[in-house]
Amino acid sequence: MARSVSTRRKLFFTVAAWSVALLIFFPVLWTILTSFKTEASAVASPPELLGADWTLQNYSDVWARSDYPRFFMNSVIISIGSTLLGLLIAIPAAWSMAFVPGNKTKDLLMWMLSTKMMPAAAVLIPMYLIFQKTGLFDTRTGLVLALMLMNLPVIIWMLYTYFKEIPGEILEAARMDGASLKNEVLYILTPMAIPGIASTMLLNIILAWNEAFWTITLTTVNAAPLSAFIASFSAPQGLFYAKLSAASTMAIAPILIMGWFGQKQLVRGLTFGAVK
Amino acid sequence: MAGKPRGLRLFRNLNAKVAAVPMVLTTLVVFVGGTLWTVLYSFTNSKLLPRWQFVGLDQYKRLWSNDLWNAAIWNLAFYGVMSLIFTITMGFVLAVLLDQKIRFEDTFRTIMLYPFALSFIVTGLVWQWILNPEMGIQEVVRRMGFEGFTFDPLHNPNTVLYGLLIAGLWQGTGFTMCLMLAGLRGIDEDIWKAARVDGIPKWKTYLFVVIPMMRPVFITTLVIVAAGIIKLYDLVVAQTSGGPGNASQVPAMYVYRYMFTAQNLGQGFAASTMMLLSVLIVLIPWAYLEFGGKKHG
């Protein structure tokens, strides 16, 4: 008797939770559906579902725009490039803070993290002027640098929390056995750190992929990634809903897919990045 | 013999310090350098280009007597308070729901987090669409037979902020939910057992035992969400562009406008300095609570 009640309870909570999830997912689902409709069908009222004209035309139209593949490639290069560069700087820093903490380590971390919370607008003009002067404005290199800088605090913080979980005793043991610093890092630390690094990478690629403030302000046409492309669509004249949906779907598809396959990493990464 | 390990340790420590140098340098140069530069130039009358002509607090006086700025500040304050209250309450309630060992929990969590993983730009666009009276919710409800139904928050200056709020909540609630869930999972199982033995109802346990224990999680969430709110920019740009009129202007848009469109850098600098200041007001008490009180503990 008691068990059947608890099963029913569980069922109730499951149904409730899934209704919420469906509600949350609906806008994304609708965008994806709309991207496969004709323009007429997309703006039809009431919204058409079963009787809609389905088509792949929007995708080929958007892709056929001479500049779309460039936006897409820019997004790929910028998000992956800035992540790799960020890891290069962050791994040594996080390693040193996690395994050789000094008196100031906590303060330093705190300060790092707080820079991420600063409004980007505060460094907008200095960055803008430096980029103009050095010829980095509207280049992929420039954006890789800018996004790396913006996300560096998050990368370091996440790596730090992951490295902290690696038991120090193992390193001590390796030292006792006479492992050199190089071997210690290469053969002991790295294999244990890979999952943490991978999660950090995933999260950071997503952050960089989504970045809009810097990509809008520091590019015009050449280096603009998808986020800037989509933003330019939101101008009043861009009333092509089906095509806009197709463009948006292509912009969010990599995230949906990466997020799906990296569910554990994504959630763990996000929560561990903030909850100590 | 005793000297060698110590020497080695010193060597390791030195290496560790060197390893942290690139990070410290980049942060120092970009964030501290850029920020100081902005703050300094906010006291000048820079127009199209920054120039070093000191005018004291003039830019700030002008800023605070500017209607657009004041509107932006009030909009942000309203949006911010509402957003904090709702994301944290809804995030907590959803986390409790998720904590009832529902089926397919991982998948559920991922779906809830999807909006957070999507950019504000896409969020803004999608919600602009859903809230559009001719094709969104209003139209659907009217077709269902409620002819008089009106739901057009984005084109009404009095309600446009609620429209932004809906999109913002949609985007951020999954994230707070995950933070809260991590907090809930961190609560010792024995506490639940003890509460059950004492016959305390579940909701009371949550309210009077679990929530107080989760204080650090709540504070961290509060700070992260608040800092994000102050920066609010892309969502507004994509959803309303600050309109109708100036009813959904926010400070970050003011900065952008004065720097690029009005070409009045001094105003932009003063506005960004005010934004910085407000972030500091949020951060410093938190830093003190979290790190200052138990620094070496």
Side-chain angles (χ1 to χ4, degrees):
Chain A
M1 190 60 199
R3 256 185 80 178
S4 88
V5 170
S6 115
T7 312
R8 213 159 51 199
R9 234 180 84 95
K10 196 169 158 179
L11 193 69
F12 168 76
F13 281 118
T14 304
V15 169
W18 280 97
S19 317
V20 175
L22 194 69
L23 200 68
I24 294 281
F25 194 62
F26 183 75
V28 176
L29 188 70
W30 193 251
T31 308
I32 297 173
L33 286 178
T34 307
S35 71
F36 292 105
K37 293 177 183 173
T38 58
E39 288 295 348
S41 195
V43 294
S45 68
E48 290 180 344
L49 187 57
L50 293 175
D53 296 326
W54 301 103
T55 174
L56 285 170
Q57 190 64 34
N58 302 311
Y59 285 92
S60 53
D61 280 357
V62 172
W63 194 262
R65 281 183 55 135
S66 56
D67 47 358
Y68 186 83
R70 196 185 64 230
F71 287 115
F72 192 82
M73 279 318 288
N74 282 341
S75 267
V76 172
I77 291 171
I78 290 163
S79 50
I80 292 178
S82 71
T83 303
L84 292 181
L85 191 63
L87 283 175
L88 205 65
I89 296 180
I91 289 175
W95 164 73
S96 87
M97 288 194 288
F99 293 110
V100 201
N103 297 332
K104 295 271 185 287
T105 302
K106 275 255 151 172
D107 299 338
L108 192 63
L109 264 175
M110 176 55 217
W111 178 64
M112 285 286 310
L113 202 61
S114 62
T115 56
K116 182 64 193 168
M117 297 177 183
M118 290 296 164
V123 286
L124 174 61
I125 284 295
M127 284 279 273
Y128 185 81
L129 292 175
I130 291 170
F131 269 52
Q132 288 279 16
K133 284 249 162 63
T134 51
L136 286 170
F137 185 77
D138 202 18
T139 62
R140 286 168 177 174
T141 321
L143 272 193
V144 165
L145 283 175
L147 296 197
M148 183 275 286
L149 288 170
M150 290 309 129
N151 291 328
L152 192 60
V154 175
I155 302 185
I156 289 180
W157 177 259
M158 271 192 67
L159 284 176
Y160 171 79
T161 56
Y162 275 107
F163 286 178
K164 260 275 184 257
E165 286 175 17
I166 297 173
E169 290 82 12
I170 292 179
L171 297 180
E172 303 256 314
R175 274 175 221 170
M176 289 292 187
D177 289 347
S180 71
L181 190 70
K182 195 189 105 210
N183 287 346
E184 184 187 317
V185 172
L186 214 58
Y187 297 112
I188 298 158
L189 191 61
T190 312
M192 284 194 291
I194 292 264
I197 295 176
S199 311
T200 311
M201 223 170 125
L202 179 84
L203 185 74
N204 198 65
I205 289 177
I206 289 177
L207 287 179
W209 186 275
N210 284 340
E211 176 61 51
F213 186 80
W214 290 107
T215 53
I216 292 172
T217 49
L218 293 181
T219 62
T220 48
V221 276
N222 292 325
L226 282 177
S227 53
F229 172 71
I230 303 281
S232 73
F233 255 131
S234 65
Q237 75 274 15
L239 281 171
F240 302 101
Y241 281 106
K243 282 186 194 60
L244 186 49
S245 294
S248 305
T249 303
M250 280 193 272
I252 61 177
I255 292 172
L256 294 182
I257 293 165
M258 280 196 297
W260 192 259
F261 286 109
Q263 290 187 19
K264 283 243 156 68
Q265 283 81 353
L266 187 74
V267 175
R268 224 181 100 102
L270 278 174
T271 47
F272 268 59
V275 178
K276 289 181 289 299
Chain B
M1 272 306 275
K4 202 185 164 198
R6 198 181 300 144
L8 193 63
R9 200 178 310 135
L10 192 72
F11 171 70
R12 281 178 201 280
N13 285 349
L14 197 68
N15 257 292
K17 296 283 179 292
V18 173
V21 163
M23 168 212 89
V24 175
L25 268 184
T26 40
T27 347
L28 205 66
V29 171
V30 177
F31 291 100
V32 179
T35 306
L36 277 181
W37 198 89
T38 300
V39 173
L40 278 179
Y41 274 92
S42 73
F43 298 108
T44 68
N45 64 349
S46 306
K47 285 277 184 231
L48 182 57
L49 285 171
R51 62 179 163 174
W52 191 240
Q53 205 168 66
F54 193 69
V55 291
L57 289 171
D58 274 12
Q59 294 289 6
Y60 291 93
K61 278 180 206 144
R62 214 174 305 158
L63 182 70
W64 284 103
S65 57
N66 185 316
D67 288 341
L68 186 61
W69 173 255
N70 282 304
I73 286 288
W74 282 111
N75 290 341
L76 190 72
F78 178 80
Y79 175 90
V81 170
M82 297 293 275
S83 172
L84 276 176
I85 294 173
F86 281 104
T87 34
I88 289 181
T89 335
M90 280 164 53
F92 183 75
V93 170
L94 283 172
V96 169
L97 186 66
L98 198 56
D99 203 28
Q100 310 302 315
K101 301 188 175 58
I102 65 154
R103 272 165 231 178
F104 310 111
E105 182 192 305
D106 287 348
T107 318
F108 177 77
R109 248 189 343 195
T110 310
I111 290 179
M112 292 301 291
L113 258 187
Y114 265 156
F116 188 69
L118 301 181
S119 64
F120 261 137
I121 295 284
V122 174
T123 303
L125 274 177
V126 168
W127 280 94
Q128 183 189 12
W129 200 343
I130 295 172
L131 300 176
N132 182 319
E134 270 128 48
M135 42 200 312
I137 296 174
Q138 174 176 312
E139 182 63 25
V140 173
V141 175
R142 280 193 186 174
R143 292 279 166 168
M144 278 158 56
F146 302 95
E147 286 298 331
F149 181 79
T150 311
F151 188 68
D152 184 14
L154 295 186
H155 295 101
N156 180 342
N158 296 321
T159 54
V160 63
L161 290 176
Y162 293 98
L164 285 178
L165 195 63
I166 294 175
L169 290 179
W170 178 74
Q171 213 254 0
T173 305
F175 173 67
T176 42
M177 181 197 80
C178 280
L179 294 185
M180 298 288 174
L181 187 65
L184 280 176
R185 293 279 153 86
I187 302 268
D188 199 331
E189 198 61 30
D190 287 346
I191 289 181
W192 282 109
K193 278 187 199 147
R196 215 171 306 140
V197 168
D198 287 347
I200 302 168
K202 244 186 159 177
W203 65 270
K204 264 193 174 168
T205 316
Y206 273 116
L207 211 58
F208 297 114
V209 182
V210 173
I211 290 182
M213 282 180 79
M214 278 172 62
R215 191 195 67 101
V217 180
F218 274 99
I219 292 177
T220 307
T221 313
L222 196 79
V223 170
I224 294 176
V225 175
I229 288 168
I230 296 171
K231 291 193 288 193
L232 185 70
Y233 173 78
D234 358 7
L235 181 69
V236 186
V237 168
Q239 214 183 343
T240 66
S241 312
N246 289 321
S248 60
Q249 282 286 343
V250 288
M253 288 186 77
Y254 184 90
V255 172
Y256 190 85
R257 176 191 284 211
Y258 273 87
M259 283 182 176
F260 290 105
T261 319
Q263 299 190 323
N264 188 341
L265 285 182
Q267 268 296 289
F269 289 146
S272 2
T273 307
M274 291 314 300
M275 284 174 71
L276 269 171
L277 201 65
S278 43
V279 173
L280 287 181
I281 290 172
V282 175
L283 277 186
I284 288 176
W286 175 64
Y288 183 77
L289 270 173
E290 289 292 295
F291 291 87
K294 45 178 180 182
K295 190 181 264 176
H296 301 292

